Amino acid sequence: MLQALDIAILGAGAMGSLFGGVLAEAGHRVTLVDIDDAHLDAIRREGLRLTTDTASRIVSNLRVSRPEHAGSAPELLIVFTKTMHTEAALTSAQALLGPHTAVLSLQNGLGNVERIARYAARERVMVGMTTWPADKSGSAQVSSHGSGEIRLMSADGQSYAHVQRTVDALNSAALNCAADPGVWSAIWEKVAFNAALNSLCALTQCTVGALSNVPDGEALTLKIVAEAAAVARANGIAFDEAHVVGNVRHALAHHRAHRPSMLQDALAGRKTEIEAINGAVVAAARAAGIATPCTECLLQLVRLVDARGAC
Ligand code: NAD
């Protein structure tokens, strides 16, 4: 029988709305917390239009709130802002952080635990990785196609009842979740994939497939994966480089028209998540005394893209 949880999603864009929508459909009491008033108002008026391979439907039992108006602390808070907005979001949503609130980050990149642990006790923080995709096509309109999974663990590596409750809640919404003590390998492998493809696409304005139009493109992606693999291993992480190389080659061949979020952000003049991805790999590399010239060069170039509008 479903144990319905009070859940708040902080950052209810593409991923937050997808997760909030399917969790509300599964019977949980879900509040979407965001600063995008147009999105919140449209959901308040008409519900969330959620399109998946199963159906396109309206989810009408979602509560919505701005962070500064968020009421009581939920049992589970899922942080789904972009990484560079985590701290601002948590600062203005302190009311969501009660002593019994478990906080989960499935954001991309590294440093998510450290950012959240400034606001919540480390034993209440969970970290993970998801391969579910989501796109937001307009206010109150989110879609997700294909399948995905979630792997998560407590940030301090201990097993707690709230970890299993979170896994159960996510599985009640068919999100294919497992507690996994090896989740850091999955996180680093996704970071390597994103460090290679996202930064190159953001810089060149190529779709993923266009990166293989010249041999240099694939060669550069594989160098970045190899650099991230060396840094991960120096940090004691088991890293399956052949698996990541396979994923990169698959994406180049089969996701040809895909525009990674970093490219979408760059095209829209928004800041990218480069610091949490290439930036975090370079910082960890320096701490370990490892050279990562390709990742670092991409970091510096995407920083320039991010700063275009600054003068
Ligand atoms: P998004 O930009 O669609 O959503 C982020 C939301 O955070 C926006 O609605 C924004 O208004 C909100 N936000 C910004 N500042 C805020 C604040 N101060 N308070 C409250 N809300 C605030 O991003 P997304 O695509 O949903 O990605 C979220 C995270 O998940 C990122 O780390 C991303 O890398 C990761 N991720 C995305 C996908 C995907 O397919 N979209 C897949 C896996 C992981």
Side-chain angles (χ1 to χ4, degrees), residues 90 111-122 125 155:
L90 286 169
N112 295 311
V113 170
E114 290 74 12
R115 280 184 280 276
I116 292 172
R118 290 183 199 127
Y119 298 82
R122 209 178 172 87
V125 180

Side-chain angles (χ1 to χ4, degrees), residues 11 13-15 34-35 67 80 82 85 89 107-108 132-134 190 273:
M15 292 298 280
D34 206 290
I35 53 172
F80 255 139
K82 292 269 172 69
H85 299 137
Q107 297 156 289
N108 280 330
W132 286 102
K190 193 170 186 203
E273 291 189 296

Side-chain angles (χ1 to χ4, degrees), residues 65-218:
S65 173
R66 283 191 61 96
E68 63 273 24
H69 299 145
S72 55
E75 291 158 281
L76 174 62
L77 175 66
I78 306 180
V79 181
F80 255 139
T81 61
K82 292 269 172 69
T83 47
M84 60 283 193
H85 299 137
T86 300
E87 282 151 305
L90 286 169
T91 299
S92 54
Q94 301 267 356
L96 292 173
L97 294 161
H100 304 297
T101 304
V103 188
L104 169 64
S105 169
L106 298 174
Q107 297 156 289
N108 280 330
L110 299 170
N112 295 311
V113 170
E114 290 74 12
R115 280 184 280 276
I116 292 172
R118 290 183 199 127
Y119 298 82
R122 209 178 172 87
E123 63 268 22
R124 308 293 303 174
V125 180
M126 294 172 286
V127 65
M129 187 280 312
T130 181
T131 55
W132 286 102
D135 283 302
K136 183 168 163 243
S137 51
S139 290
Q141 294 187 30
V142 168
S143 60
S144 178
H145 295 288
S147 60
E149 62 162 349
I150 303 165
R151 292 155 69 181
L152 59 84
M153 65 181 273
S154 172
D156 66 5
Q158 304 296 310
S159 67
Y160 297 109
H162 63 257
V163 175
Q164 194 53 49
R165 270 201 301 277
T166 301
V167 170
D168 292 344
L170 293 166
N171 280 331
S172 72
L175 284 167
N176 193 15
C177 179
D180 176 4
V183 77
W184 283 108
S185 295
I187 290 172
W188 269 90
E189 287 169 11
K190 193 170 186 203
V191 163
F193 178 94
N194 286 337
L197 295 186
N198 291 15
S199 58
L200 266 174
C201 289
L203 184 65
T204 59
Q205 303 195 355
C206 285
T207 61
V208 167
L211 293 180
S212 57
N213 286 352
V214 292
D216 294 329
E218 179 173 328

Side-chain angles (χ1 to χ4, degrees), residues 2 4 7 17-30 48-52 54-63 169 172-175:
L2 174 77
I7 300 173
S17 295
L18 167 67
F19 274 53
V22 295
L23 285 162
E25 285 185 314
H28 299 282
R29 296 173 293 272
V30 178
L48 173 74
R49 163 69 60 185
L50 182 56
T51 304
T52 61
T54 338
S56 179
R57 69 279 196 186
I58 298 283
V59 184
S60 51
N61 58 336
L62 283 161
R63 287 173 282 193
S172 72
L175 284 167

